[in-house]
Amino acid sequence: MTHDISLTEQARDVLITNDRGSYTVPTAGLYPYQWNWDSAVAALGFAQFDVERAWVELETLFQGQWADGMVPHILFHKNDPGYFPGPEVWGCEGPISSSGIIQPPIAATMAHLVWQRDPEMGRPRMAALYPKMVKWHSWIMRWRLHRGAVCTTHPWETGRDNAPDWDKTMARMDASDVGEYTRRDTSHVNAEDRPTKYDYDRYITLVQLGRRLNWDQAAMLAQSPFRVADPTMTFTTLRAARDLVKMGAALGEDTQTLEADVARLEAGAATLWNEELGGFDSRDVHSGEWAGCLSNASYLCWFAGVENRAMLTKLRSIMERVAYPVPSNDPDAETFDARRYWRGPTWAIVNMLIGLGLADMGHEEEATDLAKKTAHLIKEHGFAEYFDPATGSAAGGGSFTWTAAVWLAWAGKV
Ligand code: DGY
């Protein structure tokens, strides 16, 4: 166990090193700002040894909330020329300089877990944060639903930037007017681990469109070629709604609207079931076409409180077949690439969300197995951003906040 204790110390060090005072960067260099869902996971990590600091992390995130309720995916607290696209490209006007899109809304779920670490101390903090979280949730319900499933308007919103889920939609996009720009990500890490220029041209084209439309959701709904109902956004929003109901009830709030949201989102999650694939899939809202992708996000059903026996069978099989599960893409898919970001690599963060869901739904054996496998991966290969699912070798950025937080809050506890 000495080994584990030292890893726990190292994990704390990663969080402390990436701490910029009131927010945490995902990793120095590659991601020098506050990212929305990374930050929520950082809060859970801090809560294992410093609950006060965990609350500050969440409170800082919600200081960036726009007047309409949106909570941006990046808060540019302090300009850093080492990142592209920075605040001048996004052209957003929020209380804190920011991007114009969101990320998977796991903040409510992480806040719920942080609160449980010290309910008495956390009560006034939660009472202040709760209405802000509900406001963000209502924003998502207002602007992003399609048949009850939650849509993404940019691959970056899902966190799964270059997942094959978006390939068909991206192929229909015209990115020829993107103009000249200089990527900074590939100056920090291996270009083979990152999305391609083809992908980046489309990411930036969508940012340019959002900016032209002044990030107006109604205009984006009408004019953007990119609108995909996806398992990441849908399952995390459904889970958030359930947690908001629980937190609201504990605070004595009326939760009727949220309960209705849960029902709507449950119906929406069912619309992501692709019978032919035998899994939860993404579907392009404009074309109605399935992506045909079994990703690690497909296994977030339990996190959302959605039981599915076929997915459980698939999970058991992938955990046997792959040395370091859960891969972000089906290893048998033509698009599988063991090192390229979300086209194959294993992400400890997604494993934790899957594992928390499995445990909640009574699948203790699978939950423990996944936590053990993730712990083994981190012990062998460190706090990397993501990992090759066959060899376990580290990929992307190092000293990564959320991988360290996953160790502290989940994997290192088995
Ligand atoms: C990036 O810059 O690679 C990020 O994933 C955008 O959120």
Side-chain angles (χ1 to χ4, degrees):
M1 288 305 285
T2 13
H3 189 51
D4 288 9
I5 290 165
S6 88
L7 259 184
T8 296
E9 278 164 9
Q10 285 173 40
R12 288 182 185 186
D13 279 351
V14 170
L15 259 60
I16 290 164
T17 306
N18 291 338
D19 182 358
R20 296 292 176 269
S22 60
Y23 67 94
T24 312
V25 300
T27 187
L30 183 61
Y31 302 118
Y33 299 111
Q34 183 176 23
W35 259 260
N36 190 324
W37 73 326
D38 293 74
S39 183
V41 180
L44 183 63
F46 276 119
Q48 310 309 310
F49 63 100
D50 185 349
V51 183
E52 166 60 32
R53 180 62 188 80
W55 282 109
V56 170
E57 185 77 27
L58 294 164
E59 287 158 359
T60 307
L61 179 62
F62 279 84
Q63 277 167 18
Q65 184 166 38
W66 289 12
D68 66 356
M70 197 271 252
V71 181
H73 106 293
I74 307 175
L75 296 180
F76 301 112
H77 292 280
K78 209 165 61 181
N79 201 19
D80 188 320
Y83 181 78
F84 177 85
E88 67 293 344
V89 183
W90 291 90
C92 293
E93 285 168 28
I96 296 174
S97 172
S98 75
S99 69
I101 57 174
I102 59 170
Q103 261 187 333
I106 59 170
T109 300
M110 297 299 131
H112 191 204
L113 294 170
V114 168
W115 190 14
Q116 284 163 4
R117 298 288 299 171
D118 188 342
E120 209 185 303
M121 174 265 185
R123 198 175 173 86
R125 312 294 281 267
M126 179 52 82
L129 198 59
Y130 181 77
K132 299 178 187 176
M133 296 195 297
V134 172
K135 200 171 171 192
W136 184 26
H137 173 76
S138 307
W139 182 93
I140 295 173
M141 297 300 291
R142 169 158 191 212
W143 291 115
R144 295 303 185 80
L145 255 48
H146 183 261
R147 295 171 57 209
V150 182
C151 300
T152 172
T153 63
H154 194 296
W156 286 342
E157 289 200 310
T158 63
R160 301 189 297 122
D161 301 10
N162 67 342
D165 298 53
W166 333 124
D167 286 4
K168 291 179 197 164
T169 310
M170 299 269 269
R172 279 193 289 269
M173 275 181 62
D174 176 9
S176 54
D177 283 339
V178 69
E180 290 293 315
Y181 64 93
T182 307
R183 280 174 70 169
R184 300 306 307 265
D185 58 324
T186 43
S187 66
H188 297 290
V189 297
N190 187 354
E192 301 297 307
D193 295 357
R194 296 287 305 175
T196 59
K197 169 161 170 50
Y198 171 91
D199 288 328
Y200 251 79
D201 283 354
R202 280 151 187 79
Y203 302 155
I204 301 306
T205 296
L206 285 170
V207 173
Q208 292 166 344
L209 173 66
R211 182 181 183 150
R212 264 202 313 283
L213 300 176
N214 219 5
W215 302 106
D216 179 281
Q217 291 301 309
M220 284 167 69
L221 175 59
Q223 295 182 46
S224 174
F226 194 94
R227 199 164 192 93
V228 182
D230 131 273
T232 331
M233 302 311 265
T234 303
F235 288 140
T236 56
T237 304
L238 174 50
R239 171 62 184 250
R242 291 191 201 280
D243 285 318
L244 287 168
V245 168
K246 288 185 193 147
M247 293 184 278
L251 292 170
E253 301 282 343
D254 178 357
T255 58
Q256 265 183 10
T257 307
L258 288 165
E259 281 162 49
D261 291 349
V262 168
R264 247 176 117 186
L265 290 161
E266 278 176 342
T271 73
L272 296 183
W273 182 257
N274 177 346
E275 190 59 43
E276 202 184 319
L277 179 73
F280 289 106
D281 194 6
S282 297
R283 55 176 172 79
D284 183 309
V285 162
H286 293 313
S287 70
E289 205 178 4
W290 287 115
C293 295
L294 192 71
S295 72
N296 49 354
S298 306
Y299 298 103
L300 290 174
C301 50
W302 302 287
F303 182 69
V306 173
E307 187 50 276
N308 189 290
R309 303 309 293 188
M311 288 304 299
L312 197 61
T313 307
K314 277 195 160 46
L315 181 71
R316 286 189 183 128
S317 138
I318 202 92
M319 296 221 337
E320 268 172 34
R321 286 172 53 214
V322 175
Y324 299 94
V326 175
S328 48
N329 189 9
D330 180 351
D332 294 334
E334 268 176 33
T335 49
F336 183 82
D337 182 337
R339 286 196 66 90
R340 208 180 276 280
Y341 217 38
W342 292 88
R343 297 180 86 83
T346 290
W347 292 73
I349 156 68
V350 179
N351 281 5
M352 177 175 79
L353 302 183
I354 297 171
L356 292 176
L358 286 167
D360 287 346
M361 301 286 286
H363 304 301
E364 283 299 339
E365 200 181 312
E366 288 79 4
T368 307
D369 193 20
L370 186 55
K372 280 190 177 151
K373 288 193 154 108
T374 309
H376 179 61
L377 177 61
I378 295 174
K379 272 183 207 171
E380 283 189 354
H381 299 281
F383 300 109
E385 184 179 4
Y386 47 95
F387 305 86
D388 181 320
T391 64
S393 63
S399 295
F400 222 84
T401 292
W402 68 13
T403 310
V406 164
W407 174 269
L408 292 170
W410 180 66
K413 290 190 164 171
V414 287

